[in-house]
Amino acid sequence: MNIPEPEAFAKIIYPPDNPTTEEGLALGRALFFDPLLSADSTVSCSTCHLPELAFTDRQPISVGINGRLGRRNAPGLTNVGYLHQTLFWDGRADNLETQALHPVADPNEMGGSWQLMISKLRRHPVYWPQFERAFGLKELSELNPDYVGKALAQYQRSLISSDSKYDRVQRGEATFTEEEALGNAIFFDLADEPNAGKYAEIPTGECAHCHIPPHFTNQLFSNNGLDEANSLDDFKDPGRGPISGSKYDNGKFRVPSLRNVALTGPYMHDGRFNSLKEVVDHYDAGGKYAENKDPNIIPLGLSPDQHRALVAFLQTLTDTSFVSQGVRESESQGVR
Amino acid sequence: MKYLSLLAFPLMFLFAGCMDDDDSVTGGEVATTVNFRAEYDDADLSIQSIAYDYPTGAKLKTTLFQYYVSDLELLPAAGGAAVRLADIDLIRYQSETDGSVTSRTYNVPVGDYVGLRFGLGVKPDLNAMDPNEFSADFVLNEVQFWNANARYVFAKIEANADLEDDGTFDTGLTYHLGSDAMYTTITFTGDFTISTTANPELNIVADVFKALASDTESFDISNPDQQRIHGMNQAIGQDIWTRLAGQFELQIR
């Protein structure tokens, strides 16, 4: 199955053992919106990844079954199929196929067990035939968690956004307002350009060292100065460190994509910032001390107008057609 | 531009002197490893975990060192076309867990060689190409872009410095370098033989300290205007770039 992709993006890397098929995509979509995957059938993937919020949930920390609080903020899924490096805030999953396996068995998310879940799916009158068709399974015993992960990955790779105002400006189909253009200039450090013109004297936002187009992430890990830490053991949430095995990675988190960022608040791994204004306030102040803070995080010296302009630019990354498509898909699954 | 290190010369000649005549014949390929070694003042570079002395009295902890290599080639003794090992590669040290050596293995025709060369940075024809023309996992899609519409940052050195000797590494140093004009071909001359019986270890060594300082002068990291070199101030960056390009060594063991 050939899913159309924007010219501006390097193509999605489809795993050889999990090409997207119509049957697999339909199965993945159905599973994504179905609370069946949770222990008590109350929580689906879409509980924390709501299409109308660019697949986030507006919660600082996501809430799982029985009201249990999760560990971190639900990341958006816009263009997640393009992110071929590690996933989760701490990078503990290597790809979408393995990422999808985590929430089902997490006691604070879907709270189930894979053994019971597979047993349920094998007996299911609708899903088992879908697995048969999608993956050519012949025997019930062949159905294992990997196929659930593959189906969910196929759906997530279909979540492609390329029609934000930012994209349309890049294609010459729209123009930024003066305020958005100023925000664009701050975001991309145009004051550093040899021919900066009217932007020569504005601050550089230093944003695009990490949040670089087209997906507005470098897929790497960074300490962006959220918490002061005189010792690298002081971070309340060590983030990447326990995964990499290095204390020098404590306090680092995966750089999130900013596509649809106006819809994905509250922000940061713990949802501490309620608005984009608060996010810009944080970066404008230069972040808090830790010896592994990213050295690109420095005080910016934004004026109020420049502050507003940066927020206005971030709002141009909203793709309403992408959101609408996701909502329609959820409705087609009977979620609404 | 610097050539083979003093250490490398005797090792190289010792090795070359032991070669059997049969080793000079060509035909067939041998898996040959090129190690890209990172150092700070002649010691293995450690990301974040070591506070390094800087000549001005400051200390610094390196957080990132990376550079692009274009057209990595071996120069055959018999002349003729160079043996291309790689069109483009990104050598990166960004985590303590990365270690100080990044290794690449290439299939190399057996034979005698008189040198190795590479371009430091992204060669102009690739630097003119958009990343969407490459696979998403290609090294030119590691999002090392100047901005949305300008292309690749050739090299980065980033560190946090303790300028006041108070134990806090609270001054960020970010040196982002590169432009077509800066692209530099680095050539090492020296004889070595790739054979099925004796395969030399090729080590390309880059020293972060030597990119910033020398015995006689040091880049002034206490000057706020020289703590952040990005886009427009490449004139200042040229100084670091020249040092960076000039300090590479090839060690053959």
Side-chain angles (χ1 to χ4, degrees):
Chain A
M1 179 183 184
N2 186 22
I3 296 178
E5 294 189 54
E7 285 288 318
F9 301 169
K11 302 298 182 209
I12 290 174
I13 300 171
Y14 288 91
D17 65 345
N18 191 29
T20 296
T21 62
E22 287 186 21
E23 296 81 3
L25 175 58
L27 173 58
R29 183 187 298 119
L31 290 170
F32 186 88
F33 291 103
D34 196 334
L36 176 93
L37 289 185
S38 63
D40 59 0
S41 294
T42 60
V43 173
S44 69
C45 303
S46 65
T47 302
C48 300
H49 298 287
L50 293 158
E52 60 267 37
L53 298 174
F55 296 89
T56 59
D57 60 3
R58 201 172 278 147
Q59 302 293 324
I61 305 290
S62 294
V63 178
I65 67 165
N66 299 322
R68 292 178 193 158
L69 204 58
R71 291 176 63 197
R72 296 181 180 131
N73 181 264
L77 301 183
T78 304
N79 290 349
V80 69
Y82 288 95
L83 309 182
H84 60 88
Q85 298 188 22
T86 56
L87 298 166
F88 287 118
W89 283 103
D90 55 13
R92 66 185 183 276
D94 288 337
N95 52 53
L96 278 174
E97 279 76 5
T98 57
Q99 178 279 327
L101 302 182
H102 286 250
V104 169
D106 188 319
N108 292 336
E109 295 189 45
M110 299 166 113
S113 88
W114 272 111
Q115 192 175 3
L116 291 175
M117 188 54 52
I118 292 300
S119 175
K120 201 190 301 188
L121 289 170
R122 284 172 179 165
R123 296 193 311 269
H124 199 282
V126 174
Y127 280 126
W128 166 246
Q130 284 192 275
F131 276 105
E132 281 184 299
R133 286 194 297 274
F135 297 109
L137 304 185
K138 300 283 192 293
E139 305 286 340
L140 284 174
S141 61
E142 293 180 76
L143 178 55
N144 63 45
D146 289 347
Y147 290 107
V148 179
K150 285 181 174 182
L152 289 167
Q154 288 190 33
Y155 173 61
Q156 292 180 85
R157 287 198 179 93
S158 76
L159 303 177
I160 298 172
S161 165
S162 65
D163 200 31
S164 66
K165 182 171 185 180
Y166 170 83
D167 295 306
R168 295 196 298 277
V169 170
Q170 300 308 304
R171 294 195 295 262
E173 299 166 2
T175 55
F176 287 134
T177 65
E178 193 168 325
E179 185 177 55
E180 292 164 348
L182 174 59
N184 176 76
I186 295 168
F187 189 95
F188 288 112
D189 299 352
L190 295 194
D192 278 340
E193 296 300 305
N195 302 308
K198 65 180 180 179
Y199 298 128
E201 301 302 322
I202 65 170
T204 54
E206 313 291 336
C207 314
H209 300 301
C210 298
H211 297 289
I212 192 78
H215 304 300
F216 289 85
T217 172
N218 60 6
Q219 302 189 58
L220 300 177
F221 299 90
S222 175
N223 174 357
N224 61 344
L226 291 175
D227 294 306
E228 183 168 319
N230 291 317
S231 159
L232 292 174
D233 298 319
D234 287 350
F235 294 102
K236 180 181 172 188
D237 183 343
R240 178 65 176 165
I243 305 300
S244 73
S246 171
K247 71 173 183 177
Y248 300 99
D249 290 333
N250 284 354
K252 293 184 179 181
F253 293 89
R254 191 171 185 279
V255 174
S257 169
L258 298 187
R259 284 194 170 268
N260 287 307
V261 69
L263 303 176
T264 62
Y267 303 101
M268 306 298 158
H269 65 278
D270 54 5
R272 69 178 63 192
F273 297 136
N274 287 313
S275 65
L276 289 175
K277 178 184 180 303
E278 290 180 21
V279 173
V280 174
D281 282 342
H282 164 73
Y283 287 114
D284 192 23
K288 296 173 182 166
Y289 175 75
E291 67 171 57
N292 66 350
K293 187 183 77 168
D294 189 318
N296 290 291
I297 308 285
I298 56 174
L300 303 179
L302 299 175
S303 71
D305 285 349
Q306 291 162 346
H307 190 295
R308 282 191 292 274
L310 192 48
V311 172
F313 170 72
L314 293 171
Q315 289 168 336
T316 71
L317 301 177
T318 301
D319 179 353
T320 53
S321 65
F322 170 78
V323 172
S324 300
Q325 172 68 19
V327 170
R328 282 194 297 275
E329 288 180 350
S330 70
E331 289 172 345
S332 73
Q333 302 303 314
V335 172
R336 301 294 130 180
Chain B
M1 211 168 294
K2 184 177 287 186
Y3 296 95
L4 282 169
S5 71
L6 292 175
L7 175 65
F9 267 111
L11 291 170
M12 178 194 70
F13 285 122
L14 176 64
F15 183 82
C18 295
M19 288 298 99
D20 187 286
D21 286 343
D22 290 342
D23 291 329
S24 63
V25 300
T26 57
E29 293 184 334
V30 175
T32 301
T33 298
V34 177
N35 297 317
F36 294 88
R37 182 181 300 278
E39 297 184 343
Y40 185 95
D41 201 11
D42 293 323
D44 290 345
L45 178 69
S46 180
I47 295 296
Q48 293 189 354
S49 61
I50 294 178
Y52 292 113
D53 292 326
Y54 194 73
T56 59
K59 289 186 180 295
L60 56 85
K61 292 192 174 187
T62 308
T63 58
L64 173 69
F65 176 45
Q66 66 180 42
Y67 55 92
Y68 275 104
V69 169
S70 296
D71 293 349
L72 177 64
E73 294 177 328
L74 299 184
L75 308 177
V83 174
R84 177 72 54 85
L85 304 184
D87 287 335
I88 184 76
D89 206 344
L90 175 62
I91 309 302
R92 174 188 276 168
Y93 312 88
Q94 63 179 346
S95 171
E96 182 221 14
T97 57
D98 289 344
S100 61
V101 179
T102 297
S103 298
R104 302 282 191 265
T105 300
Y106 309 99
N107 287 326
V108 176
V110 299
D112 296 326
Y113 293 90
V114 293
L116 176 153
R117 73 182 172 210
F118 63 87
L120 181 60
V122 179
K123 56 185 175 180
D125 57 337
L126 289 180
N127 200 33
M129 294 176 71
D130 287 336
N132 64 349
E133 298 178 60
F134 308 112
S135 171
D137 58 356
F138 191 55
V139 293
L140 292 175
N141 264 314
E142 288 286 340
V143 290
Q144 301 303 312
F145 313 142
W146 285 110
N147 63 46
N149 302 307
R151 291 284 73 94
Y152 306 95
V153 182
F154 289 0
K156 289 183 177 180
I157 298 172
E158 296 185 354
N160 284 319
D162 173 7
L163 300 180
E164 298 85 14
D165 196 23
D166 60 1
T168 59
F169 292 80
D170 53 359
T171 300
L173 307 173
T174 55
Y175 304 130
H176 299 177
L177 311 165
S179 66
D180 280 347
M182 286 177 157
Y183 182 74
T184 304
T185 298
I186 296 169
T187 305
F188 301 102
T189 56
D191 299 338
F192 59 93
T193 299
I194 304 290
S195 75
T196 55
T197 55
N199 207 2
E201 183 179 294
L202 303 175
N203 295 286
I204 295 173
V205 184
D207 194 311
V208 172
F209 174 79
K210 293 173 184 173
L212 298 175
S214 69
D215 293 339
T216 56
E217 58 177 345
S218 303
F219 192 73
D220 184 6
I221 61 173
S222 65
N223 180 347
D225 292 335
Q226 299 196 8
Q227 292 167 355
R228 176 190 171 281
I229 293 178
H230 302 171
M232 189 167 68
N233 43 10
Q234 287 294 303
I236 302 173
Q238 182 66 53
D239 179 46
I240 297 178
W241 180 262
T242 301
R243 291 176 197 265
L244 177 67
Q247 58 71 45
F248 278 92
E249 296 181 8
L250 175 65
Q251 298 173 354
I252 304 172
R253 294 174 175 148

